[in-house]
Amino acid sequence: MKTSKQVSIEWNLSMRSVNNLCINGRIPGAQKKGRTWMIPDDAVRPTDNRVKSGRYVKKRDSDELLPLPFGVADYQKCRTDYYCVDKTLMIKEFLDRKTPVSLFLRPDGFGKSMNVDMLQCFFEAKKEKTSQYFEDTAIWKCRGNYRAYQGKYPVIRISLSGVNGGTWERVLEKLAAVIRDESKRHYDILHSRKISEYDRAFIKRMMSYIPENYRAARGFDDSSRDTETTGKHSLHSGNAAESGPNEYELKTSLKRLSRMLAICYGRNPVIIVEDYDTPILKVSGVNGNENVKGELLRFLREFMKNTFRDNRHISYGIITGVLSSAANMENGSTIFSDLNGLEVYDSANDAYGRCFGFTQNEVYEMLRYYGISRKMSEIEEWFGGYGGETLYNPMGVIGYISNGCIPRVSWDNEDGNGNEFLEGLIYEKNAEICAKLIGLTEDERLTARIVPGNDFASSKINASGTLDAGDVGADYTWVPGYLLGSGYLTTVRIEVQNDGARMCELCVPNRGVKALFNGIVKRHMLAEGSLTNVIINDTAEGLYKKDYAGIPGLLAAFLENAISVTDDGTDEAFFSLIRGLHVLTDDYYRVKSEAVGAGKFDVCLMPKNAGAGYPGVVMVLMTKRELDEGALNRLSDEALIQTGSSRMLLDVSAGASAGVETNAVNEPGQPDIGGLIRLGVAFSGKKTIMKAYGV
């Protein structure tokens, strides 16, 4: 007899799952002794009755619902213990295409890691019978010879997500540690008589590598070691038996490991490199050492070439990342330039389109399983809209259901390639970028020519690895591609031009991304003092109660506070005001702005729901330096008068004519603009005067 703990290890199940099988009589002969279940030695693992029609369903013998795999990227664990969406048709498409090397580019949170783990589970040859994780899935039901590929290949898989460092030596140490850990996973090849002693010595050296800084911290005695280096960037000094791999050996490590695996298994391995772009983005901002990124790019180019091109012992290559241009090198080439058979599959590509992200049917089935199908429209509003309005953000959907159907922003406060760069863009001083970003959150579309490989400018990264506000400069052509690749935008329409560029119509996909934009702005303005929680709450409460007469006072409180902490008369001050107006009124108004001359800006707030009774607002902001109280008062009068000739009147008047109620009175000599509040704002230094008409 075996204990439930022993059986859980053998069957690759949790102890809780094994105990439940015993309790429900699923394991013949199981007996409980004390607090432990004892299971016969010849017991067979029961079939998984939760799998049906390619997805998990509620167990017939239990009222307990399966939990959602929030933060889980282990395919086998997901199939065993969680509700699992069936994405196995990706395997079919992968085998049908037979692409030598596939580069999958998708935003974080869209299932790259889970899909890669699924591919590894499918292809990798193991002592355990892994076909059980694919029975009753879509790939198992496909006609063709797909089952013949299951469990037949050795697999090499590394992730570069943890590779960083302030010096090239430290980066190399992290790379060596990653390759060491994967080498250890293939420990069994050391016992094979098929590999040479030379290869055996190399793999032993890889497996026993300990970084220098780790050795020093743990008190290793290196006094007897030789000071000769084993290469240009040696990780260890000393003789070959004691030294770790040098730079050349690291560049060729996966090639050599794949050859050894091919010899041992009689079949070339599948090689997977995850998060290729993460170390590039992390080291781009290393302070005082610009050579680190150059060294890394040159290393990765040789590494990719040796692994995926100059390697006869590879069946398929898989690379994942977020941004394509992270691979760009200064000479115009990329780290992938030497790979002849590389195909890039990004979010603008129809291939594998339904493999990353949840489809509408998948989301509906999930909601139906949990008895909350009525929430479909809310999920679509917050997390849908990707890929021509057919895909949903998986992390957002799973988080929403796990959080009791309360929406939360998917990427907020998440480390990685995302929000720190987005924050730099939101606080960019360029007027056009500021206007376009605000316009996108107001449901406007952005037309942009996107050149593949131009979706990030790492030269703009500062010493902390983030993007400085105002550092985009004149050439911001990479910004739309970055926002698209990172999942902040989606495509409405794509047209491929003769030179290979894509002419795209882009939009913000959903309310979740809009909330992310607004959350970043609010945090920044709260930190700098231009917004306060009192102003945020008072404005939200006043607009909710439809206190139209109080709107000028609410806006005045914000403007006076914001201007008091900004620089006099700068464009940056104006952009900060516009961003603040947007986040304060976003639930009820669309904000539109335009710079119409030196120190003069036109702004309008258009009601999102014309029939709700909210008045339109036209505002002219004027600024001059070093004005006394009297001059500032006269400037505010001038600003108020100019609201009558503002070009923004056309936009707001359209809202008024659509049924906005008015309590405004026409001023003699001015156009008939019923249903509007007009505000003239003058500021000089930290002083502000605002005058209102129409309340």
Side-chain angles (χ1 to χ4, degrees):
M1 303 285 280
K2 298 178 182 177
T3 65
S4 57
K5 182 176 181 180
Q6 292 172 318
V7 172
S8 69
I9 296 173
E10 292 179 6
W11 291 355
N12 195 28
L13 293 175
S14 66
M15 280 190 61
R16 179 182 177 185
S17 298
V18 174
N19 288 338
N20 284 336
L21 291 172
C22 295
I23 292 170
N24 293 314
R26 301 285 309 282
I27 305 177
Q31 302 174 5
K32 192 170 185 180
K33 293 187 177 180
R35 302 176 65 180
T36 302
W37 280 97
M38 302 301 294
I39 299 169
D41 293 336
D42 58 351
V44 178
R45 174 176 169 167
T47 57
D48 194 341
N49 291 334
R50 296 174 299 179
V51 182
K52 189 172 182 179
S53 302
R55 64 177 180 85
Y56 274 121
V57 297
K58 184 177 176 181
K59 290 189 291 185
R60 299 299 181 187
D61 55 357
S62 173
D63 292 331
E64 182 183 356
L65 294 174
L66 292 165
L68 282 162
F70 189 76
V72 177
D74 184 323
Y75 176 76
Q76 294 182 24
K77 186 174 181 63
C78 186
R79 289 287 293 172
T80 302
D81 296 329
Y82 297 89
Y83 183 103
C84 187
V85 175
D86 185 356
K87 291 292 184 180
T88 57
L89 286 180
M90 180 182 181
I91 301 169
K92 177 182 183 301
E93 186 167 356
F94 184 84
L95 291 172
D96 288 344
R97 292 181 179 278
K98 287 187 168 53
T99 305
V101 184
S102 302
L103 172 59
F104 295 107
L105 299 174
R106 287 298 190 279
D108 290 330
F110 271 73
K112 293 192 302 292
S113 296
M114 179 66 83
N115 283 349
V116 164
D117 204 69
M118 175 188 69
L119 291 171
Q120 179 182 2
C121 181
F122 183 83
F123 285 114
E124 190 162 34
K126 286 186 173 182
K127 294 179 181 178
E128 176 195 5
K129 182 183 177 183
T130 54
S131 61
Q132 61 186 307
Y133 301 107
F134 298 94
E135 295 170 357
D136 256 346
T137 63
I139 186 63
W140 223 244
K141 298 175 183 179
C142 288
R143 294 182 178 180
N145 201 31
Y146 301 108
R147 296 189 189 185
Y149 293 87
Q150 201 282 317
K152 297 298 192 295
Y153 296 83
V155 174
I156 299 172
R157 178 184 176 187
I158 65 169
S159 172
L160 302 184
S161 60
V163 175
N164 57 19
T167 66
W168 178 228
E169 286 287 344
R170 287 293 175 261
V171 173
L172 270 182
E173 285 184 354
K174 295 287 184 67
L175 285 165
V178 168
I179 297 170
R180 173 203 62 198
D181 292 343
E182 180 60 13
S183 299
K184 284 184 175 181
R185 206 171 66 84
H186 301 284
Y187 180 83
D188 287 350
I189 65 176
L190 285 176
H191 305 296
S192 173
R193 297 179 180 179
K194 297 179 181 179
I195 65 172
S196 67
E197 288 303 317
Y198 175 77
D199 285 336
R200 200 185 312 275
F202 168 76
I203 202 69
K204 281 184 177 179
R205 201 155 65 251
M206 285 300 311
M207 291 179 181
S208 61
Y209 164 65
I210 302 174
E212 291 288 358
N213 60 338
Y214 182 92
R215 296 178 68 88
R218 297 299 188 274
F220 281 83
D221 182 11
D222 294 335
S223 58
S224 62
R225 301 175 68 197
D226 197 340
T227 57
E228 294 293 325
T229 62
T230 59
K232 178 183 176 183
H233 293 288
S234 176
L235 302 183
H236 279 266
S237 56
N239 58 50
E242 289 185 334
S243 65
N246 59 39
E247 183 174 333
Y248 172 77
E249 288 177 319
L250 288 176
K251 289 177 181 177
T252 59
S253 57
L254 297 194
K255 177 181 178 179
R256 296 178 69 174
L257 180 58
S258 65
R259 179 168 55 83
M260 286 182 259
L261 289 172
I263 292 172
C264 292
Y265 284 84
R267 181 167 292 198
N268 293 333
V270 175
I271 302 180
I272 303 170
V273 176
E274 291 184 271
D275 303 312
Y276 93 88
D277 52 347
T278 302
I280 301 172
L281 299 177
K282 285 182 177 178
V283 305
S284 292
V286 173
N287 191 20
N289 194 348
E290 296 298 326
N291 292 330
V292 176
K293 182 190 173 187
E295 292 275 14
L296 177 61
L297 289 173
R298 285 188 286 274
F299 174 92
L300 288 177
R301 179 167 182 172
E302 288 293 318
F303 178 79
M304 296 293 180
K305 177 185 175 183
N306 288 323
T307 302
F308 295 110
R309 195 196 78 172
D310 298 341
N311 187 0
R312 294 185 297 108
H313 303 286
I314 179 173
S315 291
Y316 301 105
I318 299 169
I319 308 170
T320 71
V322 175
L323 301 171
S324 62
S325 64
N328 293 352
M329 303 180 72
E330 292 181 358
N331 60 5
S333 63
T334 78
I335 64 173
F336 303 123
S337 292
D338 299 318
L339 306 188
N340 300 327
L342 178 73
E343 288 287 346
V344 181
Y345 302 107
D346 59 18
S347 56
N349 195 315
D350 290 336
Y352 298 99
R354 300 168 68 87
C355 300
F356 298 92
F358 290 160
T359 66
Q360 190 173 53
N361 286 338
E362 288 167 346
V363 173
Y364 180 76
E365 287 297 320
M366 187 183 298
L367 296 181
R368 191 175 69 164
Y369 172 77
Y370 290 102
I372 51 173
S373 53
R374 65 189 183 280
K375 296 290 186 178
M376 187 69 192
S377 59
E378 186 172 43
I379 281 190
E380 184 171 357
E381 178 186 7
W382 276 89
F383 308 111
Y386 292 97
E389 303 180 0
T390 60
L391 294 176
Y392 297 72
N393 181 326
M395 185 169 64
V397 172
I398 292 174
Y400 171 86
I401 300 173
S402 301
N403 198 38
C405 297
I406 299 175
R408 58 183 177 187
V409 181
S410 306
W411 298 309
D412 211 9
N413 297 323
E414 183 175 313
D415 295 332
N417 305 341
N419 299 342
E420 62 269 32
F421 303 119
L422 178 63
E423 183 165 355
L425 288 175
I426 289 175
Y427 280 89
E428 170 58 35
K429 300 172 187 176
N430 184 296
E432 189 169 355
I433 291 179
C434 178
K436 286 182 176 179
L437 287 176
I438 291 177
L440 284 165
T441 60
E442 299 287 7
D443 296 326
E444 294 180 9
R445 292 184 180 182
L446 172 65
T447 299
R449 179 176 177 271
I450 297 179
V451 179
N454 184 31
D455 54 18
F456 194 72
S458 58
S459 61
K460 303 296 182 182
I461 305 305
N462 62 27
S464 63
T466 61
L467 183 69
D468 279 328
D471 198 28
V472 172
D475 184 8
Y476 51 87
T477 57
W478 59 273
V479 172
Y482 161 74
L483 293 173
L484 176 63
S486 298
Y488 301 120
L489 298 182
T490 189
T491 54
V492 179
R493 183 170 177 267
I494 302 175
E495 183 179 294
V496 180
Q497 300 189 310
N498 291 334
D499 61 355
R502 298 164 175 168
M503 189 60 69
C504 301
E505 287 184 39
L506 307 170
C507 69
V508 171
N510 51 54
R511 190 174 173 184
V513 176
K514 293 178 186 178
L516 174 62
F517 275 67
N518 291 346
I520 290 174
V521 173
K522 282 182 181 177
R523 284 197 298 270
H524 186 93
M525 297 188 77
L526 285 168
E528 70 180 9
S530 55
L531 260 184
T532 66
N533 285 317
V534 172
I535 291 174
I536 293 173
N537 291 346
D538 286 350
T539 304
E541 291 165 5
L543 291 173
Y544 176 79
K545 293 186 294 186
K546 297 186 178 181
D547 180 12
Y548 305 143
I551 288 177
L554 295 172
L555 297 179
F558 161 67
L559 292 169
E560 289 174 4
N561 183 78
I563 290 171
S564 70
V565 299
T566 57
D567 294 330
D568 177 22
T570 62
D571 285 351
E572 183 179 3
F574 169 68
F575 299 147
S576 181
L577 295 177
I578 299 304
R579 285 187 288 263
L581 286 171
H582 169 72
V583 299
L584 281 174
T585 64
D586 182 53
D587 288 320
Y588 305 95
Y589 283 97
R590 303 184 192 280
V591 178
K592 187 174 181 181
S593 63
E594 182 181 15
V596 292
K600 180 185 175 186
F601 307 95
D602 286 3
V603 181
C604 72
L605 278 64
M606 297 174 287
K608 290 185 174 181
N609 184 355
Y614 289 95
V617 180
V618 174
M619 189 184 313
V620 172
L621 290 84
M622 301 181 72
T623 180
K624 289 185 180 179
R625 293 182 180 276
E626 300 179 358
L627 295 183
D628 59 24
E629 196 74 21
L632 188 62
N633 191 57
R634 290 190 293 274
L635 187 63
S636 66
D637 288 335
E638 181 183 350
L640 181 60
I641 292 172
Q642 291 195 22
T643 58
S645 58
S646 170
R647 284 180 287 187
M648 297 292 179
L649 287 175
L650 296 175
D651 296 309
V652 183
S653 296
S657 65
V660 178
E661 297 176 3
T662 176
N663 56 1
V665 179
N666 295 333
E667 185 178 5
Q670 298 299 331
D672 182 2
I673 51 172
L676 303 176
I677 294 175
R678 292 159 48 195
L679 303 175
V681 182
F683 59 97
S684 179
K686 310 298 182 184
K687 298 177 294 184
T688 308
I689 294 179
M690 187 181 84
K691 295 185 178 179
Y693 183 82
V695 293

